[in-house]
């Protein structure tokens, strides 16, 4: 089947720490499938991946992503064989403890004094780690002149510390440098706020970890393929212990805006269509009124295909899964993202989208499978639950459980 062409191909990368290796694998799969992004939007680790992609020519992007993830992943103390699989959670906790103590070369390093002993108001007093190693890594792996040539649009989500306002640093509106990427990933209390033009910024995921709303409000966009890579599961099982409970809390917190985005897409689409019908009924003299003229651009004839790529893979690190930068976990995350895109591309013909409003179709990827690899049904065969769309794996679906994985 010939793949449809779009005016814009937009990739949206959430924040999620070590889980961002999955995004790198997704990008490799999309590149294999011929997807060439015209716009990258990222938050936190998604901002790092997005910047590496936008800041390199297509033939070097995967190589640069791999260099970054090789650099920030840490060697595993011991790789248990399959019959010792039950040891993996313990090994993951040991890796996380090592990272918390020694940091990650090329990413962040522990401060020499504890925050409560540092001078009040200093970065040392408000964070446990120094992120200047990340600045050097970005300067090495990213061509910021290429980014600011605007061949690929790049938008990085952050939040103003003083006002609480969500902000996107956009190379179509401002000159992007390493500090904008660092601001997008400055998650307290681990990392310090980043000062840019007299204002301090924290990680954009504090306000919203799903950047679809930013893209939705930008005009003009006619035909667009929008792919959002979700690192946290919006649906999950009832926890059985404290660690699972805290993991579920994190999943809910950092995926909370996904459902809102879908509902907003439907509502705004219906309003646009109703407004277009109303304007068509107006006599010419009223259509010429300045107020009517201001409303007409809201009735854009968009044809959008939105695909949510969901990382459904089970984690051995529980609530600390976004901090598990062990090499085994990073390699597995990258491989999972690549596999999910290859699987989705191979089954694209029989997947059916959900229409979430006039001109907007929604897919959930990858297609759902059973453990023996056989297909159960398309991932986009959605049901409407409580007035909103939900992906396969939501309530009432027989998708694989992390507990039996």
């Amino acid at each position: 089947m010939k793949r449809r062409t779009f005016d814009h191909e937009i990739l949206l990368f959430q924040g999620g720490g070590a889980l961002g290796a999955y995004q790198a694998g997704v990008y490799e799969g999309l590149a294999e499938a011929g997807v060439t992004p015209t716009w990258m939007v990222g938050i936190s680790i998604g901002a790092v991946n997005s910047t590496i992609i936008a800041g390199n020519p297509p033939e070097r992007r995967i190589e640069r992503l791999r260099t970054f993830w090789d650099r920030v992943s840490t060697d595993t103390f011991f790789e248990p064989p399959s019959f010792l699989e039950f040891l993996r959670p313990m090994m993951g906790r040991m890796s996380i403890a090592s990272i918390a103590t020694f940091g990650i070369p090329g990413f962040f390093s522990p401060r020499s004094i504890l925050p409560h002993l540092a001078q009040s108001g200093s970065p040392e007093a408000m964070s446990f780690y120094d992120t200047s190693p990340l600045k050097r890594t970005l300067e090495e792996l990213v061509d910021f002149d290429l980014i600011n040539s605007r061949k690929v649009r790049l938008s990085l989500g952050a939040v103003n510390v003083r006002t609480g306002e969500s902000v996107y640093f956009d190379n179509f509106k401002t000159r992007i440098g390493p500090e904008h990427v660092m601001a997008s990933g400055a998650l307290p209390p681990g990392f310090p706020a980043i000062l840019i033009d007299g204002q301090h910024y924290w990680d954009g995921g504090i306000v919203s970890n799903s950047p679809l709303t930013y893209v939705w409000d930008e005009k003009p966009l006619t035909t667009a393929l929008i792919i959002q890579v979700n690192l946290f599961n919006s649906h999950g099982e009832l926890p059985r212990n404290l660690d699972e409970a805290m993991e579920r809390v994190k999943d809910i917190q950092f995926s909370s805006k996904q459902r809102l985005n879908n509902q907003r897409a439907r509502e705004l689409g219906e309003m646009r269509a109703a407004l277009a019908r109303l304007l068509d009924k107006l006599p010419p003299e009223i259509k010429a009124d300045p107020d009517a003229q201001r409303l007409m651009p809201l009735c854009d004839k968009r044809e959008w295909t939105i695909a949510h790529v969901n990382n459904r893979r089970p984690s051995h690190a529980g609530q600390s899964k976004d901090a598990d930068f062990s090499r085994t976990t990073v390699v597995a995350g990258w491989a999972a993202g690549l596999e999910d895109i290859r699987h989705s591309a191979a089954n694209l013909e029989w997947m059916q989208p959900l229409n979430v409003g006039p001109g907007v179709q929604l897919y959930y990827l990858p297609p759902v499978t059973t453990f023996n690899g056989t297909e159960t049904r398309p991932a986009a065969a959605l049901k409407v639950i409580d007035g909103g769309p939900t992906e396969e794996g939501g309530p009432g679906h027989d998708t694989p459980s992390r507990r039996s994985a």
Side-chain angles (χ1 to χ4, degrees):
M1 183 177 71
K2 184 178 179 180
R3 193 172 73 83
R4 179 184 172 185
T5 58
F6 298 87
D7 294 333
H8 300 274
E9 295 185 338
I10 306 168
L11 302 188
L12 314 180
F13 285 171
Q14 287 186 338
L19 299 175
Y22 179 84
Q23 294 171 340
V26 166
Y27 176 76
E28 182 177 3
L30 292 174
E32 287 182 355
V35 174
T36 304
T38 58
W39 188 0
M40 299 294 309
V41 188
I43 295 173
S44 196
I45 196 65
V48 176
N49 284 330
S50 296
T51 301
I52 293 173
I53 293 168
N56 283 283
E59 66 273 13
R60 298 205 67 184
R61 290 170 178 171
I62 295 172
E63 168 203 333
R64 291 297 199 183
L65 283 169
R66 198 170 296 281
T67 298
F68 172 78
W69 283 101
D70 284 347
R71 184 171 301 179
V72 302
S73 58
T74 59
D75 290 325
T76 308
F77 294 102
F78 167 67
E79 180 62 26
S82 57
F83 66 89
L84 294 177
E85 185 74 13
F86 65 91
L87 292 178
R88 284 191 179 275
M90 182 184 68
M91 303 309 299
R93 287 191 290 271
M94 291 176 63
S95 175
I96 293 167
S98 174
I99 290 168
T101 304
F102 301 108
I104 298 177
F107 196 170
F108 60 89
S109 58
R111 298 198 183 278
S112 57
I113 58 174
L114 294 174
H116 68 276
L117 298 177
Q119 181 181 357
S120 179
S122 67
E124 292 80 5
M126 294 182 287
S127 59
F128 289 99
Y129 300 100
D130 174 17
T131 54
S132 57
L134 175 60
K135 183 176 187 292
R136 294 190 290 270
T137 296
L138 291 169
E139 289 172 338
E140 177 186 342
L141 298 181
V142 175
D143 183 347
F144 284 95
D145 288 335
L146 177 60
I147 286 176
N148 292 303
S149 71
R150 301 180 180 179
K151 291 183 178 180
V152 175
R153 186 172 181 179
L154 176 66
S155 306
L156 310 174
V159 58
N160 187 302
V161 175
R162 290 177 61 87
T163 68
E165 177 186 7
S166 179
V167 175
Y168 277 85
F169 302 115
D170 193 314
N171 67 342
F172 275 32
K173 303 173 183 178
T174 190
R175 186 169 182 83
I176 298 295
E179 65 276 10
H180 297 93
V181 190
M182 296 167 67
S184 182
L187 184 64
F191 300 156
I194 302 298
L195 179 64
I196 300 175
D197 297 331
Q199 298 291 325
H200 289 83
Y201 295 93
W202 273 334
D203 191 305
I206 294 173
V207 174
S208 173
N209 202 36
S210 298
L212 182 58
T213 301
Y214 180 69
V215 173
W216 188 272
D217 292 335
E218 288 292 299
K219 298 180 183 299
L221 286 177
T222 49
T223 64
L225 171 64
I226 302 172
I227 301 173
Q228 177 162 302
V229 185
N230 302 316
L231 300 180
F232 296 92
N233 294 320
S234 58
H235 294 93
E237 297 183 9
L238 188 67
R240 301 178 303 174
N241 54 50
L242 184 58
D243 188 64
E244 288 183 1
M246 296 311 297
E247 179 185 5
R248 188 72 199 115
V249 167
K250 184 172 287 187
D251 283 343
I252 292 170
Q253 286 177 334
F254 287 105
S255 66
S256 61
K257 297 296 171 58
Q258 292 175 31
R259 184 181 180 92
L260 175 62
N261 285 337
N262 295 338
Q263 292 172 337
R264 185 167 184 261
R266 180 187 295 105
E267 292 166 358
L268 291 179
E270 292 171 351
M271 290 177 64
R272 283 200 328 272
L275 180 59
R277 292 192 298 269
L278 178 61
L279 291 174
D280 285 341
K281 297 173 184 176
L282 296 179
E285 61 273 15
I286 297 181
K287 280 186 178 180
D289 186 273
D291 287 337
Q293 292 294 312
R294 289 191 64 185
L295 292 172
M296 285 181 180
L298 300 177
C299 307
D300 54 1
K301 302 296 183 182
R302 66 181 60 182
E303 294 181 23
W304 289 8
T305 296
I306 301 175
H308 284 278
V309 181
N310 297 295
N311 180 14
R312 304 189 185 101
R313 304 303 174 107
S315 168
H316 297 289
Q319 62 174 311
S320 301
K321 60 187 177 183
D322 52 338
D324 183 5
F325 282 87
S326 62
R327 196 171 308 279
T328 299
T329 300
V330 165
V331 169
W334 183 306
L338 176 58
E339 179 185 346
D340 284 351
I341 293 301
R342 286 174 172 172
H343 181 59
S344 300
N347 294 282
L348 192 60
E349 293 188 29
W350 55 265
M351 288 188 286
Q352 298 299 316
L354 175 73
N355 293 315
V356 297
V360 180
Q361 294 184 328
L362 178 65
Y363 289 87
Y364 282 100
L365 305 176
V368 175
T369 61
T370 62
F371 284 115
N372 61 13
T374 58
E375 306 295 340
T376 55
R377 55 195 176 277
L382 309 180
K383 292 186 177 181
V384 176
I385 298 178
D386 296 331
T390 179
E391 63 183 288
E392 294 283 350
H397 293 286
D398 56 349
T399 52
S401 164
R402 65 177 179 184
R403 295 171 189 157
S404 55

